[in-house]
Amino acid sequence: MTEHAASSSVPTPTPRRVSARIGGIAESATLAVDAQAKALKAAGRPVIGFGAGEPDFPTPDYIVEAAARAAHDPANHRYSPAAGLPVLREAIAAKTLRDSGYEVSPGQVLVTNGGKQAVYQTFATLLDPGDEVLLPAPYWTTYPEAIRLAGGMPVEVFAGEDQGYRVTVEQLEAARTPRTKALLFVSPSNPTGAVYTPEETEQIGRWALEHGIWVITDEIYEHLVYDGAVATPIVRAVPELAETTVVLNGVAKTYAMTGWRVGWMIGPTDVIKAATNLQSHLSSNVANVSQRAALAAVSGDLSAVEDMRAAFDRRRRTMVRMLAEIDGVQIPVPQGAFYAYPSVQGVLGRNIRGVVPSTSAELAALILEQVEVAVVPGEAFGPSGYLRLSYALGDDDLVEGVGRIQALLAEAR
């Protein structure tokens, strides 16, 4: 046998059709639940969806009008700087001083295609392979995927309902290793609605500063707080963190602009310059019409925001009251964002219409099948045993949907 014949008998590996890096990413659970609910509705089913974190209000008129004017301006029909329109970066800096109480320069701002791009680009810019990121859980479903995609390793630090879903410095210290590069800090929180007190925020910030740990803080729900809670920006609480903190934000939640896709990063100039270089290759500039709409949003007053916040507050109180009436459900009162995150561990393992769900994923599937209500199971955000329900939907649908869940779970034996 010739050498060529021997080598030809070795099987040739089949090339991957999708890279391991991208193939390992899980679908967004919240978007999947929302899509499933919308598909069932389109098929004529009376589904009520609590899945999407999306205000049900239209974008305020003055913002839409600014976009309409921008669409007619030929200047907006061309490429613009990858980092964002200079006037918008200036306005975001001014808004940060107004709302967060500290100064940043326009050069510290990068405008992104929604908050998700800001999340990914921050991790991609800061992390090297093997770097660990402390990830308080329950967490938003996109964070761990973005960390892994950037080569980092998410390290979950879980705080349950007994802690109001807020981690402590002691827990963070126990999870810290020589490989810890960053901490993700989110207040108000998606998915739990938890808001850290000013004292807790400062303690965590000073711990991060002491150990040279970067802080990535997502402040997109900053204006949606209730019951006198205060969303304290961590850089205001600990100003010395400014050189090792990246702030993520956007117009989606505050101004009911989820579809406009405008977010931003604020951070040290070297980090923002590196992230801008990445964005220049990844997507270039955010759509100029959307940037002009965002300019109107962040430059205006917060009166429209206050009207929406009042409606969310009313719905929050209704949802919490109704969920608390269900036997086996524990619901810490959310103080921010527009989510309730009940523990359903007291329901699992019980017979409900001939089915005994053992996980919150199985319970969520049962709720959708039996009473046509879509909720997101806790597995999307960390440990099983929880459900996330958004109260960013109409009052009547909210009462009807939670009422269906009440009736179903009342049958648990």
Side-chain angles (χ1 to χ4, degrees):
M1 182 182 290
T2 67
E3 182 179 343
H4 175 74
S7 63
S8 65
S9 65
V10 178
T12 302
T14 302
R16 290 181 182 272
R17 292 176 60 83
V18 176
S19 73
R21 179 169 43 86
I22 300 303
I25 298 173
E27 179 184 14
S28 167
T30 54
L31 293 183
V33 169
D34 185 54
Q36 186 178 19
K38 288 176 177 175
L40 290 169
K41 274 188 176 181
R45 303 273 293 276
V47 171
I48 294 176
F50 290 106
E54 182 171 43
D56 63 317
F57 303 101
T59 302
D61 288 344
Y62 71 95
I63 297 173
V64 176
E65 289 163 4
R69 290 193 299 271
H72 289 285
D73 183 349
N76 294 314
H77 302 172
R78 303 289 182 264
Y79 292 127
S80 58
L85 295 172
V87 66
L88 177 56
R89 298 171 80 193
E90 291 171 5
I92 291 170
K95 167 249 177 298
T96 301
L97 179 60
R98 178 193 71 187
D99 295 344
S100 300
Y102 60 89
E103 288 192 41
V104 299
S105 71
Q108 292 177 261
V109 178
L110 167 58
V111 181
T112 62
N113 288 279
K116 282 187 177 178
Q117 186 175 21
V119 170
Y120 169 70
Q121 289 183 172
T122 298
F123 289 126
T125 302
L126 291 180
L127 300 182
D128 284 314
D131 284 344
E132 294 178 353
V133 179
L134 299 182
L135 179 62
Y139 48 74
W140 180 43
T141 184
T142 290
Y143 295 137
E145 300 298 343
I147 292 168
R148 293 189 189 99
L149 191 57
M153 298 174 59
V155 177
E156 295 183 24
V157 182
F158 179 69
E161 63 272 26
D162 58 325
Q163 296 178 225
Y165 302 121
R166 303 191 306 276
V167 300
T168 65
V169 166
E170 291 74 21
Q171 287 180 288
L172 295 174
E173 176 61 21
R176 183 174 64 89
T177 77
R179 296 183 298 278
T180 302
K181 176 68 177 286
L183 161 70
L184 186 67
F185 182 76
V186 186
S187 178
S189 164
N190 172 5
T192 67
V195 179
Y196 286 79
T197 68
E199 294 76 19
E200 291 168 339
T201 301
E202 181 177 358
Q203 289 168 7
I204 289 172
R206 296 216 171 274
W207 171 84
L209 183 68
E210 176 187 354
H211 296 290
I213 294 171
W214 280 81
V215 176
I216 300 162
T217 179
D218 190 336
E219 298 181 353
I220 201 162
Y221 294 98
E222 61 184 335
H223 291 297
L224 299 178
V225 290
Y226 320 101
D227 294 339
V230 176
T232 304
I234 200 165
V235 174
R236 190 176 73 200
V238 185
E240 302 94 320
L241 276 175
E243 280 303 304
T244 51
T245 296
V246 177
V247 180
L248 312 175
N249 209 327
V251 296
K253 314 299 184 179
T254 299
Y255 302 97
M257 295 179 67
T258 52
W260 297 80
R261 309 314 302 143
V262 181
W264 57 83
M265 300 167 55
I266 297 175
T269 53
D270 59 332
V271 171
I272 294 302
K273 177 63 169 68
T276 301
N277 291 344
L278 169 60
Q279 185 164 305
S280 73
H281 296 289
L282 181 67
S283 62
S284 191
N285 63 281
V286 174
N288 294 319
V289 170
S290 289
Q291 289 195 72
R292 293 291 178 181
L295 174 62
V298 300
S299 300
D301 64 32
L302 296 171
S303 56
V305 178
E306 177 55 30
D307 291 341
M308 288 186 277
R309 193 201 66 80
F312 289 142
D313 188 17
R314 181 182 67 248
R315 298 166 182 177
R316 174 186 70 106
R317 287 182 272 112
T318 299
M319 177 175 280
V320 168
R321 174 181 55 79
M322 294 182 71
L323 289 172
E325 293 171 355
I326 302 173
D327 181 45
V329 170
Q330 300 294 322
I331 174 67
V333 178
Q335 292 188 301
F338 38 63
Y339 308 102
Y341 202 73
S343 167
V344 293
Q345 294 169 68
V347 177
L348 300 179
R350 298 166 67 183
N351 190 304
I352 306 170
R353 297 188 182 177
V355 177
V356 182
S358 61
T359 67
S360 47
E362 292 174 0
L363 180 61
L366 182 66
I367 291 171
L368 181 60
E369 177 186 344
Q370 292 294 323
V371 295
E372 298 186 309
V373 174
V375 297
V376 188
E379 286 85 346
F381 312 106
S384 180
Y386 302 86
L387 300 175
R388 192 194 79 170
L389 292 84
S390 169
Y391 47 85
L393 74 169
D395 296 68
D396 292 343
D397 279 350
L398 186 152
V399 171
E400 171 66 20
V402 180
R404 293 184 196 175
I405 296 173
Q406 283 182 323
L408 177 65
L409 299 189
E411 300 179 25
R413 298 291 181 266

